[in-house]
């Protein structure tokens, strides 16, 4: 009776895991990450997790036939998890999608050799519900050969996973350091490390299951291991999907900036600029004329990277069109790298054009367009709260929005909305 309950519980856990993986893969179909990177390796990782849980279900179900076949396939596919998670993390944090060529010949040979080690146990599969065929007596030597190849395959898996996890950790550490140097803050959040947690749990559960089989531990131990494995995978995949699953990717408009208004959906083509403070009377007029051009003068940092005017004009047009896309501005994770990928231009070129030609920094440039969009929403949609407007235009908090709005407009959003409503009432 107890064995039947344990088997039923274990089967239910794996069924839930398979269903979640399939559902997650369906959600990611035709989608990309927030930074417009392809998710093909993460989809492959989800596919491996689905296959793995389905094989675990067949191995553990008491009435499933060909158990040795499922066991051999489970061991073989496990050798693909480490490389796949490494490539998944790489495509999430790098500007370009990593391809198969990043796995060298030696790594492929290790995977192929590991699959070859599963052939002896696969060859012993039979239609019955047991691992061994009771109608066919296997010699002692061949039985030892099967168990030896299985242990060697598990040894490869036990060594392989820490190597790829170490690569992922170094890749993320380099990414964090790069973002710190660029002054972006740590925008590659901890959620990127969740696939590593799934793989580590799979690795640990595989080791524990091997020890469990050798020591003939009670079935309750196997159920506890399965529960931990499934729980970590389900929770991590759910958290990952909340971060990277977004609607259809941004497509650069085919129209030029002359054909596109600053904001879509019938919004006015030009917005009144924020009021400028008068220049002090003590500053002579000729000196003011000298100050203005120095804003867009080429800075020493770009002295060796002079871009052709044709390239700079093209990037300026793309920037104007990109800032007209409300979905892009609403992305609170937008940074220089992801914007450059939208524009299909090099980040260094985009940064140089923003600094030299537009006289601004990246975040100041983006926030200026966000504030202009917020001014329209505050005027035209009084039903929305200040926080709702802030989130809609891409700010993470009300306090950050208030500070940016006051710095550009000279008053708080609340005061701006009140002033607009009073002006409407007077008219």
């Amino acid at each position: 009776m107890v064995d039947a309950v344990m088997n039923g519980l274990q089967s239910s856990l794996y069924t839930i895991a398979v269903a979640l993986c399939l559902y997650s893969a369906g959600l990611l179909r035709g989608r990309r990450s927030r930074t417009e990177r392809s998710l093909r390796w993460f989809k492959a990782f989800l596919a491996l997790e689905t296959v793995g849980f389905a094989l675990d279900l067949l191995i553990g179900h008491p009435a499933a036939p060909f158990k040795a076949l499922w066991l051999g396939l489970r061991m073989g596919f496990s050798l693909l998890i480490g490389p796949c998670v490494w490539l998944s993390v790489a495509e999430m944090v790098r500007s370009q999608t990593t391809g198969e060529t990043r796995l060298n010949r030696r790594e492929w040979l290790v995977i192929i050799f590991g699959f070859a080690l599963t052939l002896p146990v696969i060859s012993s599969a039979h239609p019955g519900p047991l691992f061994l065929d009771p109608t066919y007596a296997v010699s002692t030597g061949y039985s030892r050969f099967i168990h030896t190849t299985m242990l060697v395959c598990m040894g490869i898996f036990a060594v392989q996973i820490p190597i790829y996890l170490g690569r992922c950790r170094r890749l993320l550490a380099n990414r964090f350091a790069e973002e710190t140097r660029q002054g972006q803050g740590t925008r590659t959040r901890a959620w990127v490390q969740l696939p590593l947690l799934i793989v580590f749990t799979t690795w640990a559960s595989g080791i524990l299951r091997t020890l469990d089989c050798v020591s003939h531990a009670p079935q309750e131990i196997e159920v506890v291991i399965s529960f931990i494995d499934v729980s970590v995978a389900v929770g991590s995949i759910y958290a990952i999907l909340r971060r990277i699953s977004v609607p259809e990717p941004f497509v650069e408009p085919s129209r030029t900036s002359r054909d596109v208004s600053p904001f879509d959906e019938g919004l006015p083509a030009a917005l009144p600029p924020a009021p400028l403070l008068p220049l002090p009377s003590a500053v002579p007029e000729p000196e003011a004329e000298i100050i203005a051009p120095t804003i867009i003068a080429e800075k020493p940092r770009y002295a060796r990277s002079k871009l052709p005017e044709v390239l700079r004009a093209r990037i300026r047009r793309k920037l104007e069109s990109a800032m007209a896309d409300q979905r892009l501005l609403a992305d609170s994770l937008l940074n220089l790298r992801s914007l450059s990928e939208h524009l299909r231009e090099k980040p260094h070129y985009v940064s140089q054009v923003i600094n030299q030609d537009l006289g601004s920094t990246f975040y100041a440039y983006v926030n200026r367009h966000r504030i202009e969009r917020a001014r329209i929403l505050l005027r035209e949609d009084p039903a929305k709260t200040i926080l709702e407007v802030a989130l809609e235009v891409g700010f993470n908090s009300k306090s950050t929005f208030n500070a940016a709005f006051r710095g550009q407009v000279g008053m708080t959003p609340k005061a701006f909305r009140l002033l607009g409503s009073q002006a409407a009432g007077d008219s």
Side-chain angles (χ1 to χ4, degrees):
M1 180 66 181
V2 175
D3 291 342
V5 172
M6 293 294 103
N7 287 329
L9 179 59
Q10 193 172 14
S11 299
S12 300
L13 289 172
Y14 288 132
T15 302
I16 293 172
V18 170
L20 174 73
C21 291
L22 291 175
Y23 177 72
S24 303
L27 287 179
L28 290 179
R29 186 177 182 181
R31 299 192 176 196
R32 296 190 174 190
S33 65
R34 288 180 179 270
T35 53
E36 280 303 294
R37 298 185 181 96
S38 168
L39 292 174
R40 60 171 183 167
W41 282 114
F42 184 69
K43 294 172 187 175
F45 175 70
L46 282 180
L48 282 177
E49 287 293 309
T50 304
V51 172
F53 287 128
L55 292 174
D56 285 334
L57 175 61
L58 292 172
I59 294 171
H61 197 282
F66 301 103
K67 277 188 168 52
L69 171 62
W70 313 134
L71 177 60
L73 292 177
R74 182 66 172 104
M75 296 173 64
F77 280 113
S78 296
L79 299 175
L80 296 173
I81 293 179
C84 193
V85 75
W86 174 52
L87 296 172
S88 299
V89 172
E91 74 181 359
M92 291 180 188
V93 301
R94 285 179 174 169
S95 59
Q96 296 179 352
T97 303
T98 309
E100 296 88 348
T101 55
R102 296 308 303 271
L103 294 178
N104 56 44
R105 179 181 299 180
R106 182 178 58 183
E107 292 170 312
W108 279 116
L109 288 176
V110 169
I111 294 174
I112 294 173
F113 177 66
F115 265 95
L117 291 173
T118 65
L119 295 179
V121 65
I122 291 178
S123 66
S124 65
H126 64 97
L130 302 177
F131 283 97
L132 297 177
D133 188 355
T135 64
Y136 177 74
V138 180
S139 64
T140 304
Y142 190 67
S143 177
R144 290 179 179 175
F145 175 68
I146 292 177
H147 287 85
T148 301
T149 54
M150 290 174 60
L151 289 176
V152 173
C153 184
M154 284 301 302
I156 294 175
F157 174 74
V159 174
Q160 180 199 49
I161 291 298
I163 292 176
Y164 283 106
L165 289 180
R167 287 187 183 182
C168 294
R169 294 290 298 171
R170 288 192 296 271
L171 186 64
L172 291 174
N174 293 336
R175 175 62 177 168
F176 295 156
E178 179 184 353
E179 290 175 345
T180 302
R181 286 195 302 268
Q182 294 178 354
Q184 301 176 4
T186 305
R187 304 186 69 83
T188 304
R189 306 297 180 184
W191 62 268
V192 181
Q193 304 184 49
L194 290 176
L196 279 63
L197 177 62
I198 298 175
V199 174
F200 175 79
T201 307
T202 303
W203 174 77
S205 63
I207 301 298
L208 292 176
R209 284 194 180 99
T210 303
L211 298 176
D212 180 37
C213 292
V214 173
S215 61
H216 301 286
Q219 189 177 7
E220 288 80 359
I221 302 297
E222 172 69 19
V223 174
V224 172
I225 296 173
S226 301
F227 177 78
I228 296 175
D229 191 12
V230 171
S231 298
V232 171
V234 168
S236 299
I237 291 174
Y238 174 75
I240 293 170
L241 289 176
R242 291 192 61 187
R243 300 297 302 181
I244 68 176
S245 180
V246 295
E248 292 299 321
F250 166 78
V251 179
E252 181 186 340
S254 58
R255 297 173 293 174
T256 64
S257 59
R258 297 178 181 178
D259 302 321
V260 182
S261 62
F263 303 107
D264 212 348
E265 299 180 1
L267 296 177
L271 293 174
L276 299 176
L277 297 177
L279 293 172
S281 58
V283 179
E285 187 65 24
E287 185 175 352
E289 294 177 356
I290 297 174
I291 292 176
T294 59
I295 297 178
I296 60 172
E298 294 203 349
K299 300 181 180 180
R301 60 179 294 194
Y302 297 118
R304 297 183 180 180
S305 178
K306 295 182 179 180
L307 299 180
E309 177 57 31
V310 175
L311 175 59
R312 293 163 70 161
R314 183 183 73 193
I315 295 177
R316 288 196 299 268
R317 289 195 300 269
K318 287 186 176 183
L319 282 170
E320 292 178 15
S321 297
M323 291 299 101
D325 190 279
Q326 298 174 19
R327 293 181 302 167
L328 185 64
L329 287 178
D331 184 5
S332 61
L333 298 178
L334 182 67
N335 56 28
L336 178 61
R337 183 178 298 274
S338 59
L339 175 62
S340 302
E341 291 175 4
H342 279 293
L343 305 181
R344 295 179 176 85
E345 301 287 352
K346 294 182 178 180
H348 182 73
Y349 292 171
V350 176
S351 176
Q352 184 171 344
V353 169
I354 292 177
N355 279 266
Q356 290 183 321
D357 295 20
L358 304 180
S360 180
T361 63
F362 167 76
Y363 285 107
Y365 176 73
V366 173
N367 283 346
R368 183 167 70 247
H369 286 82
R370 285 172 170 167
I371 294 301
E372 294 296 347
R373 172 62 182 161
R375 291 170 67 174
I376 293 178
L377 293 177
L378 289 171
R379 289 197 198 103
E380 298 183 354
D381 198 346
K384 288 189 176 187
T385 65
I386 302 297
L387 179 58
E388 289 174 338
V389 172
L391 296 177
E392 184 171 339
V393 299
F395 287 92
N396 286 320
S397 65
K398 184 177 178 180
S399 59
T400 305
F401 173 60
N402 284 339
F405 195 95
R406 185 186 295 111
Q408 181 170 328
V409 183
M411 63 182 72
T412 64
K414 184 178 181 180
F416 178 82
R417 170 174 276 176
L418 181 61
L419 182 63
S421 60
Q422 290 176 350
D426 295 340
S427 60

